[in-house]
Amino acid sequence: MECKKDREQDVENIKITAALLKSTTGEFDLESILFLKLRGLGICDLGCIGSCLNLERLDLSINSITCLTSLASLKLLTVLNVSGNRITNLEPISFCENLQTLNAAGNLISSFESLHCLTSLKKLESIRFKDSMCNFSNPVCKITSYRCTILEMFPNIKVIDGERVAGRGSDLYQLCKDLDESLKGIYKNGPGVEVPACKPWVEEGFWEIKRSNNAIIEEAYKQFNDVLHECRLLNNRASHLITQTERTLSNKNQTKLYVV
């Protein structure tokens, strides 16, 4: 997978410095940085990243980060991606009061106690602790009650691990999940059960346009064209009369001038 390849390229232990941030973003002032992508650079120390006080979106994925203390000062941060690191403690993130989306898949988070600090983030809508596309997970995800416990801990969360659980679209996700479970039940014990032939939902010819309806539409269309034609004729007549009137008035004014 591409994510694994990126991770294998982390050969340097880089510390984030002001020079690195300025060269990456082209900004001269750290407080002017709003979006920052530092993916797959071999970063192990967040350094002065806490000086980017106006940072809104931050990507630190595929690095060697173990400590997130420097992120505590980022009060305006809304999107954070720290997937593919070596993080065990998410406590500093609890100070990012505007955080809405968090991706912490592929780390070393091993217990629900390590996640309890995130429950204070009232604006948090999307969290991810495992990502099947990149083969990322956390030890906590292997616990049998993982999903149920996460839902209890974060009752206002809309998306967990990429799956919508609340809000618009959640019913569709649940329907697909139930359908998948049903199919597994059919095929897990040998050959599938014979399913009766499907029957049409509506009677034959239901979707065909009836002649009577078609005739009504054609007649309405013809009447509309007739009215439109009459409107065009009236418009031409009106334009002709206006032109004649303007010429008459113009001739009268010229006659009065000669009389004077």
Side-chain angles (χ1 to χ4, degrees):
M1 297 295 291
E2 183 179 354
C3 296
K4 285 187 174 181
K5 290 181 180 179
D6 289 340
R7 197 165 190 176
E8 291 172 359
Q9 294 173 357
D10 295 346
V11 294
E12 298 181 86
N13 292 324
I14 296 177
K15 178 179 180 180
I16 294 179
T17 62
L20 174 63
L21 295 176
K22 291 177 181 180
S23 63
T24 301
T25 62
E27 298 285 351
F28 292 99
D29 184 0
L30 297 186
E31 293 189 15
S32 299
I33 301 175
L34 302 179
F35 311 104
L36 189 56
K37 185 175 182 179
L38 300 173
R39 176 186 174 89
L41 299 180
I43 297 171
C44 65
D45 190 333
L46 295 181
C48 64
I49 198 170
S51 299
C52 304
L53 299 178
N54 292 309
L55 196 60
E56 296 179 3
R57 302 174 71 93
L58 176 60
D59 185 352
L60 293 169
S61 60
I62 322 297
N63 285 292
S64 301
I65 301 168
T66 59
C67 180
L68 300 177
T69 302
S70 299
L71 302 183
S73 61
L74 305 181
K75 305 297 183 181
L76 300 181
L77 194 65
T78 58
V79 178
L80 174 62
N81 186 350
V82 291
S83 62
N85 283 280
R86 303 170 184 171
I87 300 165
T88 58
N89 183 10
L90 298 174
E91 183 70 30
I93 299 178
S94 64
F95 295 95
C96 303
E97 54 194 32
N98 282 294
L99 193 65
Q100 299 175 13
T101 301
L102 170 64
N103 185 351
N107 281 283
L108 304 175
I109 302 168
S110 59
S111 66
F112 294 119
E113 287 73 16
S114 301
L115 304 178
H116 185 72
C117 59
L118 302 178
T119 58
S120 62
L121 298 174
K122 303 304 180 183
K123 297 183 180 181
L124 192 61
E125 296 182 347
S126 174
I127 52 178
R128 183 188 285 274
F129 299 116
K130 62 180 179 180
D131 187 340
S132 56
M133 294 295 293
C134 292
N135 197 24
F136 280 171
S137 186
N138 279 277
V140 69
C141 300
K142 297 180 181 180
I143 300 176
T144 305
S145 61
Y146 164 71
R147 180 179 172 79
C148 293
T149 304
I150 292 296
L151 288 172
E152 291 177 0
M153 291 178 65
F154 303 96
N156 297 322
I157 285 290
K158 295 181 179 180
V159 181
I160 295 178
D161 297 334
E163 179 180 339
R164 184 171 288 275
V165 294
R168 186 177 181 181
S170 59
D171 292 341
L172 177 59
Y173 274 91
Q174 187 59 44
L175 177 62
C176 292
K177 183 179 179 181
D178 293 343
L179 180 60
D180 186 53
E181 291 297 327
S182 299
L183 292 175
K184 288 180 180 179
I186 292 176
Y187 295 108
K188 68 180 180 179
N189 295 319
V193 179
E194 185 177 351
V195 180
C198 297
K199 296 182 180 180
W201 291 359
V202 295
E203 296 179 359
E204 185 177 357
F206 179 84
W207 300 109
E208 296 179 1
I209 299 177
K210 302 297 188 296
R211 290 185 177 181
S212 58
N213 291 340
N214 194 32
I216 293 173
I217 293 174
E218 290 180 357
E219 180 63 26
Y221 183 73
K222 181 178 180 301
Q223 291 179 7
F224 173 77
N225 282 331
D226 291 343
V227 172
L228 182 62
H229 180 66
E230 291 179 3
C231 289
R232 287 174 178 169
L233 291 176
L234 290 174
N235 181 64
N236 292 335
R237 291 175 185 173
S239 298
H240 179 69
L241 290 174
I242 290 173
T243 301
Q244 286 185 333
T245 303
E246 289 177 346
R247 288 178 180 176
T248 303
L249 292 175
S250 177
N251 292 333
K252 287 184 178 180
N253 290 335
Q254 289 180 359
T255 302
K256 289 180 180 180
L257 288 174
Y258 288 127
V259 170
V260 175

